Amino acid sequence: MVRMLRPFTRAVTYTRWLHLSMAIVWPSLWLFIDEAWWTVATATVLLGLAGLVPAMRVVEGFQARLLLTGQRDGGESPEIVVAPSATWGDRSRVVVWLQTRLFFGALVSHLAVQLLLLGVDLVSTGISGERAGGAWLVVTGHHWWHALLAPLPLVLAAAVVVGSGHLITALALCLLGPSPAERLAALEERTEQLLERTRIARELHDSIGHALTVAVVQAGAARAAGDPAFTDRALGAIEETGRAALEDLERVLGVLRESGKPVSGRPTLADADRLLESARASGAKVDAEVTGPVETVPGPVSREGYRILQESLTNVLRHAGAVPVRVRVNVADDALVLAIRNPLPAGAPGAGRGSGLRGIRERAALLGGLARTGPDEGDWQVHAELPLS
């Protein structure tokens, strides 16, 4: 019983009924003045013409969202669109919606009133034997048990109110909801947002992870060395790497604060010397060779190449320590090739399973390239090929 009465404790039940009643106010007044068949036909034609106005979708969408769903703000993915009609398909759906709302509202309102009048007739004939009048269903006779049946029409009227509210809401979601083109546009926008968040997460992982790895390695080496000169160099390397990480962090936070602005100033392969010097200062013996015009590499490819190199060197320092590292960067006519190799220490933790290695492969795949990571003849290698076009 409590479950059956629950809809009547919700405000949306009554706002849905108000939404249906509003649709028949002006046609009802018109019919009250002139009860002619052409009145209904004229109202239907006027609604059809109104539905062709693009702004009508905004008005109806706002009413439906507010009264049918109780939703004042649609959020990122509104179920009912509040936007002007962009295509003739949108306009036709608004026309169908206006016509449906008018006739459905008239039908449901009339049915509810008739059920209430029927309940009054049952009570009247049960007490005095006379009908109150007005109901289409005629109740005759003078029987006391008519009064016992009076609650039944009231229950049916309540069911009509609740059921019609659910039905008109379902129709609104269908006719005033986003069109296939709008759903596709919203999906593309959502996809772009997810890709941007993933990219920002990679930026933070690569930049901050590299800085922390260098700081930890340098601090440990300085403590073990016990040499003031070496400690000064280590602190200088930590400071330089920390400043670079702060710059990267500021760029990423700038993207989060002002999402409409494009990312600018991110490091590219032209700044690779900074990475190599940072790795050397951490104790790694880096043998680097760069061939080809690095400065002509397209921005997106150069930036992702920088991050792949950064993550590769970070993994070397984190898992292998101060070992010889061979870095080869080759810019050919159609591809950028990055090759990083280092001796593979026994029992290296997490080889091939870290999020950094997944990030390297994902970066390469995002540009249509390929990245291989893993052991190779006693060494650990990262080999990435990124197309320039």
Side-chain angles (χ1 to χ4, degrees):
M1 178 63 70
V2 175
R3 190 179 213 177
M4 295 175 60
L5 296 177
R6 188 173 301 164
F8 298 97
T9 64
R10 300 172 58 197
V12 71
T13 300
Y14 305 98
T15 58
R16 287 171 177 173
W17 181 254
L18 175 62
H19 182 269
L20 277 174
S21 302
M22 288 169 53
I24 62 171
V25 170
W26 68 272
S28 300
L29 293 176
W30 198 349
L31 282 172
F32 182 76
I33 297 172
D34 188 359
E35 295 184 2
W37 66 268
W38 61 267
T39 303
V40 178
T42 304
T44 304
V45 172
L46 290 177
L47 281 178
L49 294 176
L52 298 177
V53 179
M56 184 57 66
R57 192 184 188 208
V58 178
V59 176
E60 291 298 318
F62 179 77
Q63 287 186 42
R65 183 183 294 183
L66 182 62
L67 298 178
L68 297 182
T69 66
Q71 187 179 18
R72 297 177 182 272
D73 184 5
E76 295 183 357
S77 180
E79 296 178 340
I80 296 179
V81 177
V82 181
S85 299
T87 64
W88 284 106
D90 295 338
R91 293 184 178 93
S92 63
R93 290 197 300 156
V94 174
V95 171
V96 174
W97 162 253
L98 291 173
Q99 307 283 1
T100 303
R101 183 184 173 192
L102 173 62
F103 289 106
F104 187 66
L107 175 64
V108 171
S109 298
H110 188 73
L111 179 59
V113 171
Q114 286 296 316
L115 288 172
L116 293 178
L117 292 176
L118 178 60
V120 173
D121 276 356
L122 287 172
V123 173
S124 179
T125 56
I127 296 176
S128 64
E130 296 182 358
R131 294 180 61 235
W136 283 7
L137 183 61
V138 179
V139 180
T140 59
H142 182 196
H143 305 284
W144 63 268
W145 49 267
H146 282 182
L148 299 179
L149 297 177
L152 182 58
L154 300 180
V155 173
L156 291 177
V160 168
V161 171
V162 176
S164 61
H166 286 292
L167 183 56
I168 195 64
T169 303
L171 290 173
L173 295 177
C174 178
L175 296 174
L176 297 180
S179 64
E182 289 170 330
R183 292 182 186 276
L184 180 60
L187 179 61
E188 290 178 348
E189 181 180 358
R190 179 62 176 166
T191 302
E192 290 295 328
Q193 292 176 352
L194 292 176
L195 289 175
E196 182 67 10
R197 291 179 182 179
T198 302
R199 187 193 61 75
I200 290 175
R202 287 201 193 104
E203 291 288 326
L204 288 174
H205 174 272
D206 293 346
S207 179
I208 306 303
H210 176 76
L212 291 176
T213 298
V214 170
V216 170
V217 172
Q218 290 281 12
R223 174 182 294 179
D227 183 0
F230 182 85
T231 301
D232 289 341
R233 290 195 301 272
L235 291 175
I238 293 174
E239 181 182 8
E240 181 181 354
T241 305
R243 289 183 186 277
L246 286 175
E247 292 176 3
D248 288 341
L249 180 61
E250 185 64 28
R251 294 189 192 99
V252 173
L253 293 179
V255 172
L256 293 175
R257 287 193 297 265
E258 304 177 36
S259 58
K261 291 187 176 182
V263 178
S264 60
R266 289 168 55 197
T268 64
L269 282 176
D271 306 308
D273 289 342
R274 185 176 69 182
L275 286 177
L276 301 176
E277 290 303 321
S278 176
R280 291 189 180 104
S282 299
K285 303 174 181 61
V286 181
D287 174 20
E289 180 180 329
V290 180
T291 57
V294 177
E295 64 279 356
T296 64
V297 176
V301 180
S302 187
R303 287 191 290 268
E304 297 304 320
Y306 177 92
R307 292 305 185 191
I308 290 175
L309 177 59
Q310 182 181 53
E311 181 61 32
S312 300
L313 293 175
T314 300
N315 287 337
V316 172
L317 295 174
R318 182 180 300 161
H319 300 300
V323 297
V325 184
R326 180 182 177 185
V327 176
R328 296 293 182 264
V329 179
N330 179 32
V331 181
D333 294 335
D334 57 351
L336 167 67
V337 179
L338 298 169
I340 301 94
R341 297 180 68 93
N342 64 277
L344 181 62
R353 296 192 297 270
S355 60
L357 296 181
R358 287 196 303 271
I360 290 175
R361 292 189 286 267
E362 289 172 0
R363 287 182 183 277
L366 189 62
L367 294 173
L370 179 65
R372 299 190 302 273
T373 61
D376 180 55
E377 298 180 356
D379 292 340
W380 180 269
Q381 71 156 353
V382 174
H383 184 90
E385 297 183 10
L386 310 178
L388 298 180
S389 59

